[in-house]
Amino acid sequence: MNQVQKEAFRLYHYPLSPHCRKLRLVLTEKQIEFALREERYWERRAEFTIVNPSGMVPLLKKGSTFLSDSQAICEYIEAEYPVPVLLPQDAQQAYEARRLVGWFDDKFNREVTSPLVFERLLRRIQGKGPPDASRISSSLKALRTHMKYLHYLLDNRRWLAGERMTLADFAASAHLSCLDYINDVDWDYSSTIKDWYSTLKSRPAFRPLLSDYIPGVMPPHHYSDLDF
Amino acid sequence: MNQVQKEAFRLYHYPLSPHCRKLRLVLTEKQIEFALREERYWERRAEFTIVNPSGMVPLLKKGSTFLSDSQAICEYIEAEYPVPVLLPQDAQQAYEARRLVGWFDDKFNREVTSPLVFERLLRRIQGKGPPDASRISSSLKALRTHMKYLHYLLDNRRWLAGERMTLADFAASAHLSCLDYINDVDWDYSSTIKDWYSTLKSRPAFRPLLSDYIPGVMPPHHYSDLDF
């Protein structure tokens, strides 16, 4: 089945937002063309908040309609552009994919990605003083626990939610890619995780994420290296 | 189409968890029988966390399978028990329902329900000292902003996400019912909101929520009154 391009999309995003990265991966995998516009959402630009009461990124403009909430958008895209399938038809398999999307976008984000990206990077960009070392330390500790769980899942499955690649793989790798930009992922911890991430990183959809650049914050050399 | 009871369900919940209340409403509306088991999730009971690595409620036991993440569960239930429809077939309408579920379960919960329920009730139950008055004050301020948005939506629509009752109505009313238990909802603010909530509150599915009781914390008289 061929994908038909229905309308032009514009994505308001921030480069190190894992929810935006997940959506960029989904759109590209589904061969949906979109324009990117960087949004420093914390500045609460009036034209942005008026069309987006949540004030958060991602915000997807489709024609004259604005869509917010990354998971609601992903479900919408899945229904309207079903190829390739990223949420399995089988209810139990779809449940597992959604559970893991929630795991990363809610729990992992709250315990790991959001505090680390804020403390190491956004705090400086937003002019909010020096990083909170104890918050970094507890987030890194939480990251180790999550890596253990990620290893456990991938050790028993081909992809994160089962035998097929799903939205869960994009959600999880979007988070890891943000953490990799700020050099917080220990790739030596598990070759299983590294191999899985390497496979995702090699997909064409991942390439634009690897050339993201935040002025003044260089990612480590291995960030964009496919043989890291 | 008649609903067929497939297996026995058991729901591990906490009475004033909005995510659990949303799921209780969904299960009851779909005439799925389930047993309730109260879980003081913060005590991290070993038998609970071993089958539920997130450590959170709700946890739904179906046969020998455990399901977590309230939204992933609701999507699963919707697929397996499609009557009555709580997520519209139309992709744009389903998007709007999911966006509003996310609005309440993420944003509203983080800014309002979670801090207020914790400060007014869980803090005491968990033995964590006196309430933080400034946190209560900023959460109540956020609640007023959200009530304005809720009024705006309901003033333009029959139900929260459009012309039909959806999961969004259950998510939103689950949050308001938690806040009403601790007497934080100003029902005089908007007769539109009050009428909408009153309609939901009158549904048989709502009745069990209205007889919830947390030892030592009496809800206000109007909490269970259908003519409040």
Side-chain angles (χ1 to χ4, degrees), chain B residues 53-91:
Chain B
S54 82
M56 298 301 291
V57 287
L59 177 73
L60 185 66
K61 185 172 188 283
K62 183 198 177 198
S64 58
T65 309
F66 291 91
L67 309 175
S68 63
D69 184 302
S70 82
Q71 191 50 24
I73 300 172
C74 284
E75 296 275 358
Y76 172 79
I77 295 290
E78 186 67 16
E80 293 285 81
Y81 304 84
V83 180
V85 173
L86 296 181
L87 283 169
Q89 286 295 306
D90 175 80

Side-chain angles (χ1 to χ4, degrees), chain A residues 98-123:
Chain A
R98 288 192 178 99
R99 176 184 80 84
L100 288 163
V101 171
W103 182 284
F104 280 90
D105 282 352
D106 295 342
K107 186 177 172 69
F108 188 90
N109 187 56
R110 193 173 57 244
E111 297 175 359
V112 182
T113 317
S114 175
L116 284 176
V117 169
F118 179 76
E119 294 299 337
R120 295 219 194 263
L121 192 137
L122 291 180
R123 199 185 256 285

Side-chain angles (χ1 to χ4, degrees), chain A residues 58-70:
Chain A
L59 177 73
L60 186 65
K61 184 173 188 283
K62 185 199 175 197
S64 58
T65 309
F66 290 91
L67 309 174
S68 64
D69 184 303
S70 82

Side-chain angles (χ1 to χ4, degrees), chain B residues 114-163:
Chain B
S114 174
L116 284 176
V117 169
F118 179 76
E119 294 300 337
R120 296 223 194 261
L121 190 138
L122 291 180
R123 199 185 256 286
R124 193 178 351 160
I125 293 172
Q126 297 176 14
K128 290 193 172 164
D132 177 337
S134 80
R135 197 166 175 230
I136 290 178
S137 164
S138 63
S139 304
L140 288 174
K141 194 180 159 201
L143 173 57
R144 285 191 292 275
T145 308
H146 280 284
M147 289 290 272
K148 203 172 156 184
Y149 185 52
L150 185 56
H151 172 84
Y152 161 79
L153 290 171
L154 290 170
D155 211 30
N156 286 282
R157 300 166 171 184
R158 189 162 165 214
W159 294 92
L160 191 50
E163 291 311 298

Side-chain angles (χ1 to χ4, degrees), chain B residues 7-34:
Chain B
E7 268 180 276
F9 286 90
R10 175 185 288 177
L11 182 64
Y12 296 78
H13 83 123
Y14 188 73
L16 286 201
S17 152
H19 304 87
C20 293
R21 288 186 160 219
K22 173 185 68 175
L23 186 51
R24 288 162 72 190
L25 290 171
V26 166
L27 293 171
T28 311
E29 286 284 341
K30 289 181 180 279
Q31 299 182 28
I32 299 169
E33 283 182 37
F34 60 100

